[in-house]
Amino acid sequence: MSLYLLGGFLLLLFGILFCFMGLSFLSEEYVLFLDWEFLSLNGSSFMMTFLFDWMSLLFVGCVFIISSLVIYYSESYMMNDQDSVRFYFLVLLFVMSMMMMIISPNLMSILIGWDGLGLVSYCLVIFFQNYKSYSAGMLTILTNRIGDVAILISIAWMLNFGSWHYIFYMNVWEYWGFYLVILIVLAGFTKSAQIPFSSWLPAAMAAPTPVSSLVHSSTLVTAGVYLLIRFSKLFINLDCSFMLLLSMMTMFMAGLGASFEFDLKKIIALSTLSQLGLMMSILFIGFPTLSFFHLLTHAFFKALLFLCAGLMIHCMSDSQDIRHMGSVVNHLPFTCACFCISNMSLCGLPFMSGFYSKDLIIEMMMTSYFNSFVFIIFFVSVGLTVSYSTRLVYFCLSFNMSSYVCQSYYEDKIMMKSMILLTLLAIFGGSILSWLIFSDPVLVVFPLFLKIMPLVFVFSGGWVGYELCYFDYSSYMYSLRFYLVSFFSGSMWFMPFFSTFLMYGWVLPLSRSLVGLMDNGWGEYMISCSPLIYSSLLSKIVTFYHMNNVSVFMGVFIFILIISFI
């Protein structure tokens, strides 16, 4: 048995076990708080603390199930790679870091998992060692370092409480608690790639596709949302309108950008960004359990979407351009069926997994007391999701035969088996979870036009996406006539330029001049070298005295005699 099959089987076993434990904890309202004293020294106890409640156990179970299927899929995907063993252990380390972050009620131990996620994600993004991967990896890790620093400062700030167990202080509010919330929100925004830190998420697509499936469904990018869900009880003391605006703008910007993109993996990455904006928005409106519910359902269909895309890219000689993928449905029927199911679940088509969470989120948004701007952005973003999904399905599956016609299309059995369980979860996962998490029925009454409005936007978004596929840009030249608008919409509102060129364009000349002035100039002589010069002079005097002590004594004696005679 290979390493991949063994690891996948064990993770699947533990994932199912954790899920059932989480559901039993949920039904019994049971929470397990575990202190493990691993060292006692001179009366001081060093303890690691774990929190097992329904939320952490369900999330760990889902992460393990998805990771097991991704590792099983990688058995075939990374078969011909010479570094496949290193890849396997990196993915395993990634999953363990995520688990460490989920079950920690302590900011210190959260930092271990948080930093582990950032470091291992960097190693996975630069796995294919070329210049583009290296640039994407640097952008990823440097953006995530901002969030790491925010966690470090919040650890220092929590000394005001007397303990780093944040779970004890969720119902405590002091005037300086505002700064703690701001730091935690900053950390969550960097890890979950909200505006203005969005540019690293599509760049992280340089990693192998199984890693993208894991990162964008249930691990790295969802860590920020999960952290904010844990701290959500503190948000009721604050006005979260500004954070809500940023997360809504992220959702809208990602949907708009995906409609202009032709790279398959980047379209799915922007789709992830849009869903993260949706989770953050409903969290700041005041429904953390709903945000967690959508986090789980999104993990199922997004992992499936990436696995299907990975097989398509594999068959297209590693080309990711959707304009090269004509009539794939004739050659990869099972993969394309799973691809369509995950896309429909993403769009929120009725009775699929995504419908239960998205419909509930939009209904709760309609019951909250926010203005029409929030209302419009939410519905337009839902329509944009369906629009780019329809465009993706059209270009990949049913477009005319493209230039990449002579390919060896082959549906691998290992890859297909890993898709089956995710397909079932993408169909039934939402309904099962909604029955279990929201066990008490809540009646929400709407007028008919409000009740059917999400469905209207879903179907109208699909129609717009279909029309855009047939829209002949070359004859009307709309994209050239409104070039600035199309370029602005398709380039994530210039955020990659702000994150890269504008940053190092000013910073590097400044740092070079500072190096010339300080490290290589008077600063080095005055600050670095002066202690050395002083100590070396003293040592020379002492050495001279030590080596010539008789002659020195005689010289001093003669000098004193001469002085006394004079």
Side-chain angles (χ1 to χ4, degrees), residues 10 141 179 240-241 259 334 456 467-468 494 496-497 526 566:
L10 288 175
I141 197 167
Y179 302 104
C240 298
S241 302
S259 302
F334 179 79
V456 169
E467 288 296 325
L468 281 174
F494 303 144
F497 302 103
M526 296 296 292
I566 292 172

Side-chain angles (χ1 to χ4, degrees), residues 345-366:
S345 190
L346 167 67
C347 295
L349 211 68
F351 313 116
M352 303 291 282
S353 185
F355 166 75
Y356 289 92
S357 53
K358 288 183 85 169
D359 195 60
L360 207 52
I361 284 173
I362 288 169
E363 286 182 357
M364 290 300 107
M365 181 274 301
M366 287 193 283

Side-chain angles (χ1 to χ4, degrees), residues 107-168:
L107 270 181
M108 291 290 279
S109 49
I110 273 183
L111 185 68
I112 299 169
W114 192 269
D115 258 347
L117 282 172
L119 183 62
V120 180
S121 68
Y122 172 70
C123 296
L124 286 167
V125 168
I126 63 166
F127 187 80
F128 296 134
Q129 294 168 10
N130 53 49
Y131 186 77
K132 189 179 177 185
S133 297
Y134 175 70
S135 305
M138 287 306 292
L139 179 59
T140 302
I141 197 167
L142 289 177
T143 310
N144 280 307
R145 287 313 287 168
I146 300 170
D148 299 346
V149 170
I151 292 276
L152 281 168
I153 299 172
S154 58
I155 285 171
W157 197 246
M158 274 199 77
L159 289 172
N160 289 311
F161 283 119
S163 167
W164 286 309
H165 288 72
Y166 68 87
I167 212 85
F168 296 158

